[in-house]
PDB file of all heavy atoms in Angstrom:
ATOM      1  N   VAL A   1       4.201 -32.106   1.292  1.00 39.00           N
ATOM      2  CA  VAL A   1       4.521 -31.860   2.762  1.00 39.00           C
ATOM      3  C   VAL A   1       3.377 -31.665   3.468  1.00 39.00           C
ATOM      4  O   VAL A   1       2.240 -31.542   2.946  1.00 39.00           O
ATOM      5  CB  VAL A   1       5.339 -30.636   2.824  1.00 39.00           C
ATOM      6  CG1 VAL A   1       6.738 -30.685   2.203  1.00 39.00           C
ATOM      7  CG2 VAL A   1       4.557 -29.420   2.287  1.00 39.00           C
ATOM      8  N   ALA A   2       3.486 -31.776   4.810  1.00 43.00           N
ATOM      9  CA  ALA A   2       2.311 -31.673   5.653  1.00 43.00           C
ATOM     10  C   ALA A   2       2.305 -30.371   6.441  1.00 43.00           C
ATOM     11  O   ALA A   2       1.391 -30.090   7.339  1.00 43.00           O
ATOM     12  CB  ALA A   2       2.292 -32.814   6.657  1.00 43.00           C
ATOM     13  N   ALA A   3       3.382 -29.478   6.204  1.00 41.00           N
ATOM     14  CA  ALA A   3       3.471 -28.329   6.885  1.00 41.00           C
ATOM     15  C   ALA A   3       2.230 -27.373   6.864  1.00 41.00           C
ATOM     16  O   ALA A   3       2.041 -26.652   7.824  1.00 41.00           O
ATOM     17  CB  ALA A   3       4.766 -27.441   6.432  1.00 41.00           C
ATOM     18  N   THR A   4       1.448 -27.366   5.742  1.00 43.00           N
ATOM     19  CA  THR A   4       0.372 -26.495   5.703  1.00 43.00           C
ATOM     20  C   THR A   4      -0.583 -26.706   6.809  1.00 43.00           C
ATOM     21  O   THR A   4      -1.365 -25.756   7.164  1.00 43.00           O
ATOM     22  CB  THR A   4      -0.317 -26.554   4.391  1.00 43.00           C
ATOM     23  OG1 THR A   4      -0.604 -27.989   4.085  1.00 43.00           O
ATOM     24  CG2 THR A   4       0.535 -26.087   3.263  1.00 43.00           C
ATOM     25  N   GLN A   5      -0.674 -27.960   7.344  1.00 44.00           N
ATOM     26  CA  GLN A   5      -1.684 -28.252   8.283  1.00 44.00           C
ATOM     27  C   GLN A   5      -1.296 -27.670   9.712  1.00 44.00           C
ATOM     28  O   GLN A   5      -2.025 -27.531  10.538  1.00 44.00           O
ATOM     29  CB  GLN A   5      -1.758 -29.791   8.491  1.00 44.00           C
ATOM     30  CG  GLN A   5      -2.191 -30.523   7.164  1.00 44.00           C
ATOM     31  CD  GLN A   5      -1.944 -32.027   7.384  1.00 44.00           C
ATOM     32  OE1 GLN A   5      -2.377 -32.586   8.399  1.00 44.00           O
ATOM     33  NE2 GLN A   5      -1.282 -32.614   6.483  1.00 44.00           N
ATOM     34  N   LYS A   6       0.023 -27.406   9.775  1.00 45.00           N
ATOM     35  CA  LYS A   6       0.480 -26.941  11.035  1.00 45.00           C
ATOM     36  C   LYS A   6       0.681 -25.376  11.177  1.00 45.00           C
ATOM     37  O   LYS A   6       1.127 -24.925  12.174  1.00 45.00           O
ATOM     38  CB  LYS A   6       1.818 -27.581  11.502  1.00 45.00           C
ATOM     39  CG  LYS A   6       1.687 -29.090  11.358  1.00 45.00           C
ATOM     40  CD  LYS A   6       3.098 -29.721  11.601  1.00 45.00           C
ATOM     41  CE  LYS A   6       2.950 -31.270  11.544  1.00 45.00           C
ATOM     42  NZ  LYS A   6       4.208 -31.981  11.597  1.00 45.00           N
ATOM     43  N   GLN A   7       0.283 -24.738  10.164  1.00 43.00           N
ATOM     44  CA  GLN A   7       0.350 -23.268  10.017  1.00 43.00           C
ATOM     45  C   GLN A   7      -1.014 -22.601   9.672  1.00 43.00           C
ATOM     46  O   GLN A   7      -1.058 -21.840   8.771  1.00 43.00           O
ATOM     47  CB  GLN A   7       1.436 -22.946   8.999  1.00 43.00           C
ATOM     48  CG  GLN A   7       2.971 -23.589   9.353  1.00 43.00           C
ATOM     49  CD  GLN A   7       3.796 -23.239   8.237  1.00 43.00           C
ATOM     50  OE1 GLN A   7       3.469 -22.813   7.076  1.00 43.00           O
ATOM     51  NE2 GLN A   7       4.977 -23.760   8.451  1.00 43.00           N
ATOM     52  N   ALA A   8      -1.985 -23.085  10.368  1.00 49.00           N
ATOM     53  CA  ALA A   8      -3.284 -22.566  10.045  1.00 49.00           C
ATOM     54  C   ALA A   8      -3.507 -21.216  10.077  1.00 49.00           C
ATOM     55  O   ALA A   8      -4.228 -20.569   9.330  1.00 49.00           O
ATOM     56  CB  ALA A   8      -4.350 -23.367  10.852  1.00 49.00           C
ATOM     57  N   SER A   9      -2.895 -20.464  11.013  1.00 51.00           N
ATOM     58  CA  SER A   9      -3.070 -19.096  11.181  1.00 51.00           C
ATOM     59  C   SER A   9      -2.264 -18.186  10.221  1.00 51.00           C
ATOM     60  O   SER A   9      -2.567 -17.033  10.082  1.00 51.00           O
ATOM     61  CB  SER A   9      -2.619 -18.669  12.577  1.00 51.00           C
ATOM     62  OG  SER A   9      -1.221 -18.940  12.762  1.00 51.00           O
ATOM     63  N   ALA A  10      -1.234 -18.835   9.476  1.00 80.00           N
ATOM     64  CA  ALA A  10      -0.448 -17.992   8.632  1.00 80.00           C
ATOM     65  C   ALA A  10      -1.040 -17.952   7.071  1.00 80.00           C
ATOM     66  O   ALA A  10      -0.601 -18.560   6.172  1.00 80.00           O
ATOM     67  CB  ALA A  10       1.004 -18.727   8.500  1.00 80.00           C
ATOM     68  N   LEU A  11      -2.270 -17.227   7.068  1.00 91.00           N
ATOM     69  CA  LEU A  11      -2.956 -17.061   5.716  1.00 91.00           C
ATOM     70  C   LEU A  11      -2.183 -15.999   4.941  1.00 91.00           C
ATOM     71  O   LEU A  11      -1.808 -14.915   5.604  1.00 91.00           O
ATOM     72  CB  LEU A  11      -4.365 -16.762   5.920  1.00 91.00           C
ATOM     73  CG  LEU A  11      -5.297 -17.792   6.572  1.00 91.00           C
ATOM     74  CD1 LEU A  11      -6.621 -17.307   6.592  1.00 91.00           C
ATOM     75  CD2 LEU A  11      -5.189 -19.153   5.913  1.00 91.00           C
ATOM     76  N   PRO A  12      -1.814 -16.223   3.709  1.00 92.00           N
ATOM     77  CA  PRO A  12      -1.322 -15.138   2.861  1.00 92.00           C
ATOM     78  C   PRO A  12      -2.212 -13.892   2.842  1.00 92.00           C
ATOM     79  O   PRO A  12      -3.444 -14.024   2.932  1.00 92.00           O
ATOM     80  CB  PRO A  12      -1.123 -15.775   1.459  1.00 92.00           C
ATOM     81  CG  PRO A  12      -1.251 -17.188   1.698  1.00 92.00           C
ATOM     82  CD  PRO A  12      -2.167 -17.421   2.906  1.00 92.00           C
ATOM     83  N   PRO A  13      -1.671 -12.673   2.726  1.00 92.00           N
ATOM     84  CA  PRO A  13      -2.513 -11.527   2.611  1.00 92.00           C
ATOM     85  C   PRO A  13      -3.445 -11.637   1.415  1.00 92.00           C
ATOM     86  O   PRO A  13      -3.029 -12.219   0.440  1.00 92.00           O
ATOM     87  CB  PRO A  13      -1.527 -10.416   2.527  1.00 92.00           C
ATOM     88  CG  PRO A  13      -0.265 -10.930   3.052  1.00 92.00           C
ATOM     89  CD  PRO A  13      -0.267 -12.387   2.805  1.00 92.00           C
ATOM     90  N   ILE A  14      -4.490 -11.059   1.464  1.00 94.00           N
ATOM     91  CA  ILE A  14      -5.666 -11.118   0.459  1.00 94.00           C
ATOM     92  C   ILE A  14      -5.719  -9.732  -0.188  1.00 94.00           C
ATOM     93  O   ILE A  14      -5.891  -8.702   0.418  1.00 94.00           O
ATOM     94  CB  ILE A  14      -6.950 -11.604   0.949  1.00 94.00           C
ATOM     95  CG1 ILE A  14      -6.828 -13.104   1.556  1.00 94.00           C
ATOM     96  CG2 ILE A  14      -8.062 -11.431  -0.184  1.00 94.00           C
ATOM     97  CD1 ILE A  14      -8.082 -13.583   2.203  1.00 94.00           C
ATOM     98  N   LEU A  15      -5.773  -9.720  -1.528  1.00 94.00           N
ATOM     99  CA  LEU A  15      -5.692  -8.350  -2.204  1.00 94.00           C
ATOM    100  C   LEU A  15      -6.956  -7.703  -2.139  1.00 94.00           C
ATOM    101  O   LEU A  15      -8.071  -8.358  -1.986  1.00 94.00           O
ATOM    102  CB  LEU A  15      -5.440  -8.713  -3.730  1.00 94.00           C
ATOM    103  CG  LEU A  15      -4.088  -9.256  -4.120  1.00 94.00           C
ATOM    104  CD1 LEU A  15      -3.921  -9.357  -5.565  1.00 94.00           C
ATOM    105  CD2 LEU A  15      -2.981  -8.139  -3.673  1.00 94.00           C
ATOM    106  N   LYS A  16      -6.961  -6.373  -2.202  1.00 94.00           N
ATOM    107  CA  LYS A  16      -8.172  -5.566  -2.259  1.00 94.00           C
ATOM    108  C   LYS A  16      -8.590  -5.581  -3.638  1.00 94.00           C
ATOM    109  O   LYS A  16      -7.996  -6.033  -4.633  1.00 94.00           O
ATOM    110  CB  LYS A  16      -7.825  -4.157  -1.784  1.00 94.00           C
ATOM    111  CG  LYS A  16      -7.406  -3.992  -0.384  1.00 94.00           C
ATOM    112  CD  LYS A  16      -7.135  -2.568   0.027  1.00 94.00           C
ATOM    113  CE  LYS A  16      -6.749  -2.485   1.578  1.00 94.00           C
ATOM    114  NZ  LYS A  16      -6.505  -1.030   1.830  1.00 94.00           N
ATOM    115  N   ALA A  17      -9.867  -5.024  -3.815  1.00 93.00           N
ATOM    116  CA  ALA A  17     -10.726  -5.167  -5.054  1.00 93.00           C
ATOM    117  C   ALA A  17      -9.852  -4.600  -6.197  1.00 93.00           C
ATOM    118  O   ALA A  17      -9.731  -5.266  -7.342  1.00 93.00           O
ATOM    119  CB  ALA A  17     -11.996  -4.622  -5.022  1.00 93.00           C
ATOM    120  N   ARG A  18      -9.184  -3.516  -6.066  1.00 95.00           N
ATOM    121  CA  ARG A  18      -8.605  -2.758  -7.163  1.00 95.00           C
ATOM    122  C   ARG A  18      -7.384  -3.572  -7.638  1.00 95.00           C
ATOM    123  O   ARG A  18      -7.030  -3.815  -8.778  1.00 95.00           O
ATOM    124  CB  ARG A  18      -8.176  -1.346  -6.866  1.00 95.00           C
ATOM    125  CG  ARG A  18      -7.577  -0.700  -8.142  1.00 95.00           C
ATOM    126  CD  ARG A  18      -7.462   0.754  -7.738  1.00 95.00           C
ATOM    127  NE  ARG A  18      -6.997   1.556  -9.018  1.00 95.00           N
ATOM    128  CZ  ARG A  18      -6.953   2.853  -9.137  1.00 95.00           C
ATOM    129  NH1 ARG A  18      -7.265   3.640  -8.069  1.00 95.00           N
ATOM    130  NH2 ARG A  18      -6.635   3.431 -10.186  1.00 95.00           N
ATOM    131  N   ASP A  19      -6.540  -4.109  -6.582  1.00 96.00           N
ATOM    132  CA  ASP A  19      -5.400  -4.998  -6.912  1.00 96.00           C
ATOM    133  C   ASP A  19      -5.799  -6.326  -7.519  1.00 96.00           C
ATOM    134  O   ASP A  19      -5.017  -6.754  -8.414  1.00 96.00           O
ATOM    135  CB  ASP A  19      -4.605  -5.170  -5.687  1.00 96.00           C
ATOM    136  CG  ASP A  19      -4.005  -3.814  -5.058  1.00 96.00           C
ATOM    137  OD1 ASP A  19      -3.643  -3.066  -6.000  1.00 96.00           O
ATOM    138  OD2 ASP A  19      -3.816  -3.658  -3.903  1.00 96.00           O
ATOM    139  N   ARG A  20      -6.913  -6.790  -7.013  1.00 95.00           N
ATOM    140  CA  ARG A  20      -7.346  -8.098  -7.697  1.00 95.00           C
ATOM    141  C   ARG A  20      -7.678  -7.828  -9.214  1.00 95.00           C
ATOM    142  O   ARG A  20      -7.309  -8.590 -10.109  1.00 95.00           O
ATOM    143  CB  ARG A  20      -8.578  -8.586  -7.094  1.00 95.00           C
ATOM    144  CG  ARG A  20      -8.442  -9.070  -5.633  1.00 95.00           C
ATOM    145  CD  ARG A  20      -9.697  -9.852  -5.136  1.00 95.00           C
ATOM    146  NE  ARG A  20      -9.707  -9.874  -3.756  1.00 95.00           N
ATOM    147  CZ  ARG A  20     -10.622 -10.566  -2.992  1.00 95.00           C
ATOM    148  NH1 ARG A  20     -11.468 -11.223  -3.664  1.00 95.00           N
ATOM    149  NH2 ARG A  20     -10.557 -10.503  -1.740  1.00 95.00           N
ATOM    150  N   ALA A  21      -8.306  -6.697  -9.509  1.00 95.00           N
ATOM    151  CA  ALA A  21      -8.782  -6.447 -10.865  1.00 95.00           C
ATOM    152  C   ALA A  21      -7.492  -6.218 -11.718  1.00 95.00           C
ATOM    153  O   ALA A  21      -7.358  -6.635 -12.861  1.00 95.00           O
ATOM    154  CB  ALA A  21      -9.620  -5.243 -10.906  1.00 95.00           C
ATOM    155  N   THR A  22      -6.456  -5.482 -11.211  1.00 95.00           N
ATOM    156  CA  THR A  22      -5.185  -5.208 -11.885  1.00 95.00           C
ATOM    157  C   THR A  22      -4.514  -6.629 -12.267  1.00 95.00           C
ATOM    158  O   THR A  22      -4.084  -6.825 -13.456  1.00 95.00           O
ATOM    159  CB  THR A  22      -4.218  -4.408 -11.128  1.00 95.00           C
ATOM    160  OG1 THR A  22      -4.893  -3.176 -10.909  1.00 95.00           O
ATOM    161  CG2 THR A  22      -2.933  -4.161 -11.910  1.00 95.00           C
ATOM    162  N   THR A  23      -4.526  -7.490 -11.388  1.00 96.00           N
ATOM    163  CA  THR A  23      -3.954  -8.794 -11.530  1.00 96.00           C
ATOM    164  C   THR A  23      -4.716  -9.586 -12.505  1.00 96.00           C
ATOM    165  O   THR A  23      -4.133 -10.252 -13.461  1.00 96.00           O
ATOM    166  CB  THR A  23      -3.834  -9.499 -10.247  1.00 96.00           C
ATOM    167  OG1 THR A  23      -3.021  -8.733  -9.221  1.00 96.00           O
ATOM    168  CG2 THR A  23      -3.077 -10.921 -10.348  1.00 96.00           C
ATOM    169  N   GLU A  24      -6.055  -9.630 -12.342  1.00 96.00           N
ATOM    170  CA  GLU A  24      -6.785 -10.423 -13.317  1.00 96.00           C
ATOM    171  C   GLU A  24      -6.689  -9.994 -14.729  1.00 96.00           C
ATOM    172  O   GLU A  24      -6.657 -10.713 -15.680  1.00 96.00           O
ATOM    173  CB  GLU A  24      -8.306 -10.300 -12.843  1.00 96.00           C
ATOM    174  CG  GLU A  24      -8.622 -11.185 -11.458  1.00 96.00           C
ATOM    175  CD  GLU A  24      -9.940 -10.849 -11.011  1.00 96.00           C
ATOM    176  OE1 GLU A  24     -10.719 -10.212 -11.686  1.00 96.00           O
ATOM    177  OE2 GLU A  24     -10.235 -11.450  -9.812  1.00 96.00           O
ATOM    178  N   ASN A  25      -6.739  -8.590 -14.864  1.00 94.00           N
ATOM    179  CA  ASN A  25      -6.536  -8.088 -16.300  1.00 94.00           C
ATOM    180  C   ASN A  25      -5.293  -8.340 -16.813  1.00 94.00           C
ATOM    181  O   ASN A  25      -5.220  -8.613 -18.102  1.00 94.00           O
ATOM    182  CB  ASN A  25      -6.867  -6.567 -16.225  1.00 94.00           C
ATOM    183  CG  ASN A  25      -8.375  -6.133 -15.948  1.00 94.00           C
ATOM    184  OD1 ASN A  25      -9.251  -7.098 -16.058  1.00 94.00           O
ATOM    185  ND2 ASN A  25      -8.662  -5.012 -15.594  1.00 94.00           N
ATOM    186  N   ALA A  26      -4.282  -8.272 -16.063  1.00 95.00           N
ATOM    187  CA  ALA A  26      -2.899  -8.556 -16.662  1.00 95.00           C
ATOM    188  C   ALA A  26      -2.925 -10.047 -17.019  1.00 95.00           C
ATOM    189  O   ALA A  26      -2.288 -10.330 -18.099  1.00 95.00           O
ATOM    190  CB  ALA A  26      -1.864  -8.351 -15.531  1.00 95.00           C
ATOM    191  N   ILE A  27      -3.347 -10.900 -16.212  1.00 96.00           N
ATOM    192  CA  ILE A  27      -3.274 -12.351 -16.629  1.00 96.00           C
ATOM    193  C   ILE A  27      -4.157 -12.542 -17.880  1.00 96.00           C
ATOM    194  O   ILE A  27      -3.836 -13.290 -18.699  1.00 96.00           O
ATOM    195  CB  ILE A  27      -3.796 -13.217 -15.410  1.00 96.00           C
ATOM    196  CG1 ILE A  27      -2.672 -13.125 -14.366  1.00 96.00           C
ATOM    197  CG2 ILE A  27      -4.073 -14.645 -15.977  1.00 96.00           C
ATOM    198  CD1 ILE A  27      -3.083 -13.825 -13.047  1.00 96.00           C
ATOM    199  N   LEU A  28      -5.369 -11.962 -17.960  1.00 96.00           N
ATOM    200  CA  LEU A  28      -6.199 -12.152 -19.103  1.00 96.00           C
ATOM    201  C   LEU A  28      -5.470 -11.602 -20.320  1.00 96.00           C
ATOM    202  O   LEU A  28      -5.501 -12.316 -21.454  1.00 96.00           O
ATOM    203  CB  LEU A  28      -7.545 -11.283 -18.911  1.00 96.00           C
ATOM    204  CG  LEU A  28      -8.509 -11.400 -20.097  1.00 96.00           C
ATOM    205  CD1 LEU A  28      -8.824 -12.782 -20.439  1.00 96.00           C
ATOM    206  CD2 LEU A  28      -9.701 -10.617 -19.719  1.00 96.00           C
ATOM    207  N   ALA A  29      -4.754 -10.461 -20.248  1.00 96.00           N
ATOM    208  CA  ALA A  29      -4.122 -10.008 -21.368  1.00 96.00           C
ATOM    209  C   ALA A  29      -3.030 -10.950 -21.911  1.00 96.00           C
ATOM    210  O   ALA A  29      -2.866 -11.224 -22.972  1.00 96.00           O
ATOM    211  CB  ALA A  29      -3.521  -8.598 -21.154  1.00 96.00           C
ATOM    212  N   GLU A  30      -2.303 -11.658 -20.926  1.00 96.00           N
ATOM    213  CA  GLU A  30      -1.330 -12.584 -21.237  1.00 96.00           C
ATOM    214  C   GLU A  30      -1.862 -13.792 -21.922  1.00 96.00           C
ATOM    215  O   GLU A  30      -1.519 -14.345 -22.981  1.00 96.00           O
ATOM    216  CB  GLU A  30      -0.580 -13.006 -19.974  1.00 96.00           C
ATOM    217  CG  GLU A  30       0.495 -14.047 -20.296  1.00 96.00           C
ATOM    218  CD  GLU A  30       1.012 -14.698 -18.971  1.00 96.00           C
ATOM    219  OE1 GLU A  30       0.170 -15.101 -18.082  1.00 96.00           O
ATOM    220  OE2 GLU A  30       2.244 -14.827 -18.848  1.00 96.00           O
ATOM    221  N   ARG A  31      -3.050 -14.241 -21.438  1.00 97.00           N
ATOM    222  CA  ARG A  31      -3.725 -15.451 -22.031  1.00 97.00           C
ATOM    223  C   ARG A  31      -4.235 -15.133 -23.440  1.00 97.00           C
ATOM    224  O   ARG A  31      -3.993 -15.926 -24.322  1.00 97.00           O
ATOM    225  CB  ARG A  31      -5.040 -15.744 -21.107  1.00 97.00           C
ATOM    226  CG  ARG A  31      -4.555 -16.438 -19.810  1.00 97.00           C
ATOM    227  CD  ARG A  31      -5.835 -16.736 -19.026  1.00 97.00           C
ATOM    228  NE  ARG A  31      -6.718 -17.685 -19.729  1.00 97.00           N
ATOM    229  CZ  ARG A  31      -6.480 -19.008 -19.789  1.00 97.00           C
ATOM    230  NH1 ARG A  31      -5.467 -19.500 -19.305  1.00 97.00           N
ATOM    231  NH2 ARG A  31      -7.316 -19.811 -20.559  1.00 97.00           N
ATOM    232  N   LEU A  32      -4.742 -13.940 -23.628  1.00 97.00           N
ATOM    233  CA  LEU A  32      -5.213 -13.595 -25.054  1.00 97.00           C
ATOM    234  C   LEU A  32      -4.001 -13.434 -25.937  1.00 97.00           C
ATOM    235  O   LEU A  32      -4.149 -13.867 -27.128  1.00 97.00           O
ATOM    236  CB  LEU A  32      -5.987 -12.305 -24.958  1.00 97.00           C
ATOM    237  CG  LEU A  32      -7.367 -12.430 -24.338  1.00 97.00           C
ATOM    238  CD1 LEU A  32      -8.068 -11.016 -24.145  1.00 97.00           C
ATOM    239  CD2 LEU A  32      -8.284 -13.288 -25.032  1.00 97.00           C
ATOM    240  N   ASP A  33      -2.959 -12.972 -25.413  1.00 96.00           N
ATOM    241  CA  ASP A  33      -1.718 -12.701 -26.376  1.00 96.00           C
ATOM    242  C   ASP A  33      -1.001 -13.972 -26.710  1.00 96.00           C
ATOM    243  O   ASP A  33      -0.441 -14.088 -27.868  1.00 96.00           O
ATOM    244  CB  ASP A  33      -0.802 -11.639 -25.647  1.00 96.00           C
ATOM    245  CG  ASP A  33      -1.234 -10.287 -25.582  1.00 96.00           C
ATOM    246  OD1 ASP A  33      -2.125  -9.896 -26.452  1.00 96.00           O
ATOM    247  OD2 ASP A  33      -0.645  -9.461 -24.791  1.00 96.00           O
ATOM    248  N   THR A  34      -1.161 -14.932 -25.860  1.00 96.00           N
ATOM    249  CA  THR A  34      -0.335 -16.214 -25.972  1.00 96.00           C
ATOM    250  C   THR A  34      -1.018 -17.485 -26.462  1.00 96.00           C
ATOM    251  O   THR A  34      -0.715 -18.180 -27.177  1.00 96.00           O
ATOM    252  CB  THR A  34       0.512 -16.516 -24.652  1.00 96.00           C
ATOM    253  OG1 THR A  34      -0.192 -16.666 -23.630  1.00 96.00           O
ATOM    254  CG2 THR A  34       1.480 -15.265 -24.460  1.00 96.00           C
ATOM    255  N   ILE A  35      -2.126 -17.644 -25.644  1.00 97.00           N
ATOM    256  CA  ILE A  35      -2.909 -18.994 -25.838  1.00 97.00           C
ATOM    257  C   ILE A  35      -3.730 -18.851 -27.187  1.00 97.00           C
ATOM    258  O   ILE A  35      -3.713 -19.793 -27.976  1.00 97.00           O
ATOM    259  CB  ILE A  35      -3.866 -19.259 -24.707  1.00 97.00           C
ATOM    260  CG1 ILE A  35      -3.045 -19.453 -23.351  1.00 97.00           C
ATOM    261  CG2 ILE A  35      -4.780 -20.385 -25.054  1.00 97.00           C
ATOM    262  CD1 ILE A  35      -3.903 -19.685 -22.159  1.00 97.00           C
ATOM    263  N   ILE A  36      -4.400 -17.778 -27.531  1.00 97.00           N
ATOM    264  CA  ILE A  36      -5.273 -17.687 -28.667  1.00 97.00           C
ATOM    265  C   ILE A  36      -4.426 -18.076 -29.948  1.00 97.00           C
ATOM    266  O   ILE A  36      -4.869 -18.879 -30.778  1.00 97.00           O
ATOM    267  CB  ILE A  36      -5.950 -16.292 -28.802  1.00 97.00           C
ATOM    268  CG1 ILE A  36      -6.977 -16.190 -27.598  1.00 97.00           C
ATOM    269  CG2 ILE A  36      -6.588 -16.139 -30.166  1.00 97.00           C
ATOM    270  CD1 ILE A  36      -8.106 -17.158 -27.727  1.00 97.00           C
ATOM    271  N   PRO A  37      -3.358 -17.372 -30.232  1.00 96.00           N
ATOM    272  CA  PRO A  37      -2.581 -17.814 -31.432  1.00 96.00           C
ATOM    273  C   PRO A  37      -2.102 -19.084 -31.412  1.00 96.00           C
ATOM    274  O   PRO A  37      -2.244 -19.904 -32.477  1.00 96.00           O
ATOM    275  CB  PRO A  37      -1.411 -16.757 -31.431  1.00 96.00           C
ATOM    276  CG  PRO A  37      -1.720 -15.638 -30.588  1.00 96.00           C
ATOM    277  CD  PRO A  37      -2.676 -16.282 -29.480  1.00 96.00           C
ATOM    278  N   MET A  38      -1.696 -19.737 -30.382  1.00 96.00           N
ATOM    279  CA  MET A  38      -1.329 -21.013 -30.232  1.00 96.00           C
ATOM    280  C   MET A  38      -2.383 -22.039 -30.551  1.00 96.00           C
ATOM    281  O   MET A  38      -2.188 -22.932 -31.479  1.00 96.00           O
ATOM    282  CB  MET A  38      -0.744 -21.392 -28.878  1.00 96.00           C
ATOM    283  CG  MET A  38      -0.301 -22.831 -28.632  1.00 96.00           C
ATOM    284  SD  MET A  38       0.127 -23.194 -26.874  1.00 96.00           S
ATOM    285  CE  MET A  38      -1.391 -23.195 -26.195  1.00 96.00           C
ATOM    286  N   ILE A  39      -3.554 -21.878 -29.955  1.00 97.00           N
ATOM    287  CA  ILE A  39      -4.552 -22.921 -30.210  1.00 97.00           C
ATOM    288  C   ILE A  39      -5.256 -22.699 -31.515  1.00 97.00           C
ATOM    289  O   ILE A  39      -5.628 -23.746 -32.103  1.00 97.00           O
ATOM    290  CB  ILE A  39      -5.603 -22.888 -29.020  1.00 97.00           C
ATOM    291  CG1 ILE A  39      -6.337 -21.558 -28.961  1.00 97.00           C
ATOM    292  CG2 ILE A  39      -4.936 -23.230 -27.702  1.00 97.00           C
ATOM    293  CD1 ILE A  39      -7.479 -21.534 -27.925  1.00 97.00           C
ATOM    294  N   MET A  40      -5.373 -21.492 -32.111  1.00 97.00           N
ATOM    295  CA  MET A  40      -6.000 -21.353 -33.417  1.00 97.00           C
ATOM    296  C   MET A  40      -5.130 -22.054 -34.517  1.00 97.00           C
ATOM    297  O   MET A  40      -5.689 -22.688 -35.368  1.00 97.00           O
ATOM    298  CB  MET A  40      -6.280 -19.893 -33.726  1.00 97.00           C
ATOM    299  CG  MET A  40      -7.376 -19.242 -32.812  1.00 97.00           C
ATOM    300  SD  MET A  40      -7.946 -17.683 -33.322  1.00 97.00           S
ATOM    301  CE  MET A  40      -8.610 -17.911 -34.873  1.00 97.00           C
TER     302      MET A  40
END
């Protein structure tokens, strides 16, 4: 779609540092739990 070009001002909210860290750590835990056993 081309709609993103017409909504330049509608940026999604950006997380604060602590919320970013919580999200990053949760994703990392998921990656370690699921990807490592699969690929080894």
Side-chain angles (χ1 to χ4, degrees):
V1 296
T4 51
Q5 303 168 47
K6 301 172 183 177
Q7 299 171 356
S9 61
L11 298 181
I14 297 170
L15 291 179
K16 294 182 179 180
R18 186 169 186 174
D19 293 329
R20 293 191 202 189
T22 299
T23 302
E24 290 171 4
N25 289 342
I27 290 174
L28 176 57
E30 177 192 49
R31 289 181 58 80
L32 291 169
D33 286 344
T34 59
I35 298 177
I36 292 297
M38 176 185 73
I39 63 176
M40 289 186 69

